[in-house]
PDB file of all heavy atoms in Angstrom:
ATOM      1  N   VAL A  45      24.158  19.289  -8.200  1.00 97.00           N
ATOM      2  CA  VAL A  45      24.838  18.201  -8.889  1.00 97.00           C
ATOM      3  C   VAL A  45      24.565  18.287 -10.376  1.00 97.00           C
ATOM      4  O   VAL A  45      23.558  18.841 -10.816  1.00 97.00           O
ATOM      5  CB  VAL A  45      24.352  16.811  -8.370  1.00 97.00           C
ATOM      6  CG1 VAL A  45      24.799  16.585  -6.945  1.00 97.00           C
ATOM      7  CG2 VAL A  45      22.852  16.663  -8.513  1.00 97.00           C
ATOM      8  N   LEU A  46      25.496  17.763 -11.144  1.00 97.00           N
ATOM      9  CA  LEU A  46      25.326  17.638 -12.593  1.00 97.00           C
ATOM     10  C   LEU A  46      24.589  16.335 -12.859  1.00 97.00           C
ATOM     11  O   LEU A  46      25.046  15.273 -12.413  1.00 97.00           O
ATOM     12  CB  LEU A  46      26.677  17.643 -13.290  1.00 97.00           C
ATOM     13  CG  LEU A  46      26.691  17.739 -14.801  1.00 97.00           C
ATOM     14  CD1 LEU A  46      26.125  19.088 -15.264  1.00 97.00           C
ATOM     15  CD2 LEU A  46      28.110  17.551 -15.331  1.00 97.00           C
ATOM     16  N   LYS A  47      23.416  16.399 -13.487  1.00 97.00           N
ATOM     17  CA  LYS A  47      22.645  15.181 -13.764  1.00 97.00           C
ATOM     18  C   LYS A  47      23.176  14.529 -15.054  1.00 97.00           C
ATOM     19  O   LYS A  47      23.291  15.175 -16.100  1.00 97.00           O
ATOM     20  CB  LYS A  47      21.177  15.530 -13.970  1.00 97.00           C
ATOM     21  CG  LYS A  47      20.497  15.943 -12.724  1.00 97.00           C
ATOM     22  CD  LYS A  47      19.049  16.304 -12.854  1.00 97.00           C
ATOM     23  CE  LYS A  47      18.366  15.939 -14.111  1.00 97.00           C
ATOM     24  NZ  LYS A  47      16.932  16.264 -14.170  1.00 97.00           N
ATOM     25  N   VAL A  48      23.533  13.249 -14.916  1.00 97.00           N
ATOM     26  CA  VAL A  48      24.077  12.475 -16.035  1.00 97.00           C
ATOM     27  C   VAL A  48      23.297  11.173 -16.141  1.00 97.00           C
ATOM     28  O   VAL A  48      22.981  10.541 -15.127  1.00 97.00           O
ATOM     29  CB  VAL A  48      25.591  12.185 -15.795  1.00 97.00           C
ATOM     30  CG1 VAL A  48      26.148  11.304 -16.881  1.00 97.00           C
ATOM     31  CG2 VAL A  48      26.374  13.462 -15.688  1.00 97.00           C
ATOM     32  N   ARG A  49      23.030  10.753 -17.374  1.00 97.00           N
ATOM     33  CA  ARG A  49      22.395   9.468 -17.580  1.00 97.00           C
ATOM     34  C   ARG A  49      23.263   8.654 -18.559  1.00 97.00           C
ATOM     35  O   ARG A  49      23.839   9.227 -19.469  1.00 97.00           O
ATOM     36  CB  ARG A  49      20.975   9.587 -18.095  1.00 97.00           C
ATOM     37  CG  ARG A  49      20.850  10.199 -19.466  1.00 97.00           C
ATOM     38  CD  ARG A  49      19.437  10.242 -20.004  1.00 97.00           C
ATOM     39  NE  ARG A  49      18.597  11.032 -19.151  1.00 97.00           N
ATOM     40  CZ  ARG A  49      17.356  10.678 -18.768  1.00 97.00           C
ATOM     41  NH1 ARG A  49      16.857   9.563 -19.179  1.00 97.00           N
ATOM     42  NH2 ARG A  49      16.668  11.475 -18.005  1.00 97.00           N
ATOM     43  N   VAL A  50      23.292   7.371 -18.339  1.00 97.00           N
ATOM     44  CA  VAL A  50      24.034   6.477 -19.241  1.00 97.00           C
ATOM     45  C   VAL A  50      23.178   5.255 -19.558  1.00 97.00           C
ATOM     46  O   VAL A  50      22.305   4.856 -18.758  1.00 97.00           O
ATOM     47  CB  VAL A  50      25.382   6.055 -18.655  1.00 97.00           C
ATOM     48  CG1 VAL A  50      26.364   7.238 -18.588  1.00 97.00           C
ATOM     49  CG2 VAL A  50      25.246   5.401 -17.302  1.00 97.00           C
ATOM     50  N   ARG A  51      23.445   4.639 -20.708  1.00 97.00           N
ATOM     51  CA  ARG A  51      22.713   3.422 -21.083  1.00 97.00           C
ATOM     52  C   ARG A  51      23.185   2.201 -20.276  1.00 97.00           C
ATOM     53  O   ARG A  51      22.437   1.272 -20.091  1.00 97.00           O
ATOM     54  CB  ARG A  51      22.921   3.125 -22.585  1.00 97.00           C
ATOM     55  CG  ARG A  51      22.180   4.078 -23.478  1.00 97.00           C
ATOM     56  CD  ARG A  51      22.265   3.610 -24.922  1.00 97.00           C
ATOM     57  NE  ARG A  51      23.659   3.672 -25.415  1.00 97.00           N
ATOM     58  CZ  ARG A  51      24.123   4.631 -26.204  1.00 97.00           C
ATOM     59  NH1 ARG A  51      23.339   5.569 -26.628  1.00 97.00           N
ATOM     60  NH2 ARG A  51      25.374   4.600 -26.593  1.00 97.00           N
ATOM     61  N   ALA A  52      24.438   2.222 -19.851  1.00 97.00           N
ATOM     62  CA  ALA A  52      25.034   1.056 -19.185  1.00 97.00           C
ATOM     63  C   ALA A  52      24.317   0.754 -17.855  1.00 97.00           C
ATOM     64  O   ALA A  52      23.777   1.653 -17.215  1.00 97.00           O
ATOM     65  CB  ALA A  52      26.518   1.326 -18.919  1.00 97.00           C
ATOM     66  N   ILE A  53      24.352  -0.530 -17.495  1.00 94.00           N
ATOM     67  CA  ILE A  53      23.753  -0.946 -16.214  1.00 94.00           C
ATOM     68  C   ILE A  53      24.773  -0.745 -15.090  1.00 94.00           C
ATOM     69  O   ILE A  53      25.969  -0.738 -15.328  1.00 94.00           O
ATOM     70  CB  ILE A  53      23.263  -2.398 -16.256  1.00 94.00           C
ATOM     71  CG1 ILE A  53      24.426  -3.368 -16.525  1.00 94.00           C
ATOM     72  CG2 ILE A  53      22.164  -2.568 -17.278  1.00 94.00           C
ATOM     73  CD1 ILE A  53      24.053  -4.816 -16.375  1.00 94.00           C
ATOM     74  N   ALA A  54      24.261  -0.601 -13.899  1.00 91.00           N
ATOM     75  CA  ALA A  54      25.144  -0.401 -12.713  1.00 91.00           C
ATOM     76  C   ALA A  54      25.575  -1.776 -12.199  1.00 91.00           C
ATOM     77  O   ALA A  54      25.174  -2.226 -11.122  1.00 91.00           O
ATOM     78  CB  ALA A  54      24.376   0.360 -11.652  1.00 91.00           C
ATOM     79  N   ASP A  55      26.403  -2.447 -12.979  1.00 91.00           N
ATOM     80  CA  ASP A  55      26.882  -3.773 -12.614  1.00 91.00           C
ATOM     81  C   ASP A  55      28.324  -3.908 -13.039  1.00 91.00           C
ATOM     82  O   ASP A  55      28.671  -3.661 -14.184  1.00 91.00           O
ATOM     83  CB  ASP A  55      26.025  -4.867 -13.328  1.00 91.00           C
ATOM     84  CG  ASP A  55      26.385  -6.246 -12.871  1.00 91.00           C
ATOM     85  OD1 ASP A  55      26.732  -6.434 -11.685  1.00 91.00           O
ATOM     86  OD2 ASP A  55      26.370  -7.176 -13.712  1.00 91.00           O
ATOM     87  N   GLY A  56      29.178  -4.238 -12.083  1.00 91.00           N
ATOM     88  CA  GLY A  56      30.584  -4.413 -12.391  1.00 91.00           C
ATOM     89  C   GLY A  56      31.283  -3.158 -12.834  1.00 91.00           C
ATOM     90  O   GLY A  56      32.306  -3.221 -13.533  1.00 91.00           O
ATOM     91  N   GLY A  57      30.776  -2.006 -12.445  1.00 93.00           N
ATOM     92  CA  GLY A  57      31.415  -0.752 -12.800  1.00 93.00           C
ATOM     93  C   GLY A  57      31.142  -0.252 -14.207  1.00 93.00           C
ATOM     94  O   GLY A  57      31.758   0.702 -14.652  1.00 93.00           O
ATOM     95  N   GLU A  58      30.233  -0.919 -14.909  1.00 95.00           N
ATOM     96  CA  GLU A  58      29.945  -0.512 -16.308  1.00 95.00           C
ATOM     97  C   GLU A  58      29.404   0.890 -16.407  1.00 95.00           C
ATOM     98  O   GLU A  58      29.791   1.660 -17.277  1.00 95.00           O
ATOM     99  CB  GLU A  58      28.972  -1.510 -16.962  1.00 95.00           C
ATOM    100  CG  GLU A  58      29.562  -2.891 -17.174  1.00 95.00           C
ATOM    101  CD  GLU A  58      30.816  -2.870 -18.036  1.00 95.00           C
ATOM    102  OE1 GLU A  58      30.820  -2.221 -19.097  1.00 95.00           O
ATOM    103  OE2 GLU A  58      31.826  -3.487 -17.620  1.00 95.00           O
ATOM    104  N   ALA A  59      28.481   1.254 -15.515  1.00 96.00           N
ATOM    105  CA  ALA A  59      27.903   2.603 -15.558  1.00 96.00           C
ATOM    106  C   ALA A  59      28.980   3.646 -15.225  1.00 96.00           C
ATOM    107  O   ALA A  59      29.034   4.712 -15.852  1.00 96.00           O
ATOM    108  CB  ALA A  59      26.734   2.714 -14.598  1.00 96.00           C
ATOM    109  N   ASN A  60      29.856   3.356 -14.271  1.00 97.00           N
ATOM    110  CA  ASN A  60      30.935   4.289 -13.937  1.00 97.00           C
ATOM    111  C   ASN A  60      31.837   4.517 -15.137  1.00 97.00           C
ATOM    112  O   ASN A  60      32.208   5.660 -15.410  1.00 97.00           O
ATOM    113  CB  ASN A  60      31.763   3.773 -12.761  1.00 97.00           C
ATOM    114  CG  ASN A  60      30.980   3.837 -11.447  1.00 97.00           C
ATOM    115  OD1 ASN A  60      30.059   4.617 -11.319  1.00 97.00           O
ATOM    116  ND2 ASN A  60      31.374   3.023 -10.487  1.00 97.00           N
ATOM    117  N   LYS A  61      32.196   3.433 -15.838  1.00 97.00           N
ATOM    118  CA  LYS A  61      33.053   3.576 -17.034  1.00 97.00           C
ATOM    119  C   LYS A  61      32.362   4.430 -18.086  1.00 97.00           C
ATOM    120  O   LYS A  61      32.989   5.280 -18.701  1.00 97.00           O
ATOM    121  CB  LYS A  61      33.378   2.206 -17.607  1.00 97.00           C
ATOM    122  CG  LYS A  61      34.314   1.395 -16.770  1.00 97.00           C
ATOM    123  CD  LYS A  61      34.553   0.032 -17.400  1.00 97.00           C
ATOM    124  CE  LYS A  61      35.142  -0.921 -16.394  1.00 97.00           C
ATOM    125  NZ  LYS A  61      35.009  -2.312 -16.785  1.00 97.00           N
ATOM    126  N   ALA A  62      31.058   4.202 -18.282  1.00 97.00           N
ATOM    127  CA  ALA A  62      30.299   4.969 -19.267  1.00 97.00           C
ATOM    128  C   ALA A  62      30.273   6.448 -18.919  1.00 97.00           C
ATOM    129  O   ALA A  62      30.363   7.303 -19.782  1.00 97.00           O
ATOM    130  CB  ALA A  62      28.888   4.399 -19.417  1.00 97.00           C
ATOM    131  N   VAL A  63      30.131   6.748 -17.609  1.00 97.00           N
ATOM    132  CA  VAL A  63      30.100   8.134 -17.150  1.00 97.00           C
ATOM    133  C   VAL A  63      31.452   8.825 -17.441  1.00 97.00           C
ATOM    134  O   VAL A  63      31.497   9.940 -17.959  1.00 97.00           O
ATOM    135  CB  VAL A  63      29.772   8.229 -15.642  1.00 97.00           C
ATOM    136  CG1 VAL A  63      30.093   9.603 -15.094  1.00 97.00           C
ATOM    137  CG2 VAL A  63      28.329   7.868 -15.391  1.00 97.00           C
ATOM    138  N   LEU A  64      32.550   8.125 -17.136  1.00 98.00           N
ATOM    139  CA  LEU A  64      33.869   8.710 -17.393  1.00 98.00           C
ATOM    140  C   LEU A  64      34.090   8.954 -18.902  1.00 98.00           C
ATOM    141  O   LEU A  64      34.630  10.007 -19.266  1.00 98.00           O
ATOM    142  CB  LEU A  64      34.966   7.766 -16.829  1.00 98.00           C
ATOM    143  CG  LEU A  64      34.908   7.533 -15.322  1.00 98.00           C
ATOM    144  CD1 LEU A  64      36.026   6.601 -14.891  1.00 98.00           C
ATOM    145  CD2 LEU A  64      34.939   8.800 -14.529  1.00 98.00           C
ATOM    146  N   VAL A  65      33.682   8.026 -19.738  1.00 97.00           N
ATOM    147  CA  VAL A  65      33.823   8.198 -21.201  1.00 97.00           C
ATOM    148  C   VAL A  65      32.968   9.369 -21.671  1.00 97.00           C
ATOM    149  O   VAL A  65      33.425  10.196 -22.469  1.00 97.00           O
ATOM    150  CB  VAL A  65      33.462   6.903 -21.932  1.00 97.00           C
ATOM    151  CG1 VAL A  65      33.339   7.108 -23.426  1.00 97.00           C
ATOM    152  CG2 VAL A  65      34.494   5.810 -21.633  1.00 97.00           C
ATOM    153  N   LEU A  66      31.719   9.457 -21.177  1.00 97.00           N
ATOM    154  CA  LEU A  66      30.832  10.529 -21.568  1.00 97.00           C
ATOM    155  C   LEU A  66      31.415  11.906 -21.199  1.00 97.00           C
ATOM    156  O   LEU A  66      31.410  12.828 -22.012  1.00 97.00           O
ATOM    157  CB  LEU A  66      29.444  10.359 -20.896  1.00 97.00           C
ATOM    158  CG  LEU A  66      28.477  11.506 -21.081  1.00 97.00           C
ATOM    159  CD1 LEU A  66      28.090  11.700 -22.531  1.00 97.00           C
ATOM    160  CD2 LEU A  66      27.240  11.290 -20.240  1.00 97.00           C
ATOM    161  N   LEU A  67      31.914  12.016 -19.975  1.00 97.00           N
ATOM    162  CA  LEU A  67      32.484  13.305 -19.548  1.00 97.00           C
ATOM    163  C   LEU A  67      33.734  13.663 -20.351  1.00 97.00           C
ATOM    164  O   LEU A  67      33.908  14.808 -20.740  1.00 97.00           O
ATOM    165  CB  LEU A  67      32.779  13.278 -18.060  1.00 97.00           C
ATOM    166  CG  LEU A  67      31.556  13.361 -17.157  1.00 97.00           C
ATOM    167  CD1 LEU A  67      31.937  13.162 -15.706  1.00 97.00           C
ATOM    168  CD2 LEU A  67      30.826  14.683 -17.328  1.00 97.00           C
TER     169      LEU A  67
END
Side-chain angles (χ1 to χ4, degrees):
V45 293
L46 189 66
K47 290 180 12 178
V48 176
R49 66 176 62 224
V50 292
R51 288 188 295 257
I53 61 172
D55 185 36
E58 292 302 312
N60 289 337
K61 289 178 197 162
V63 167
L64 299 180
V65 169
L66 172 64
L67 287 173

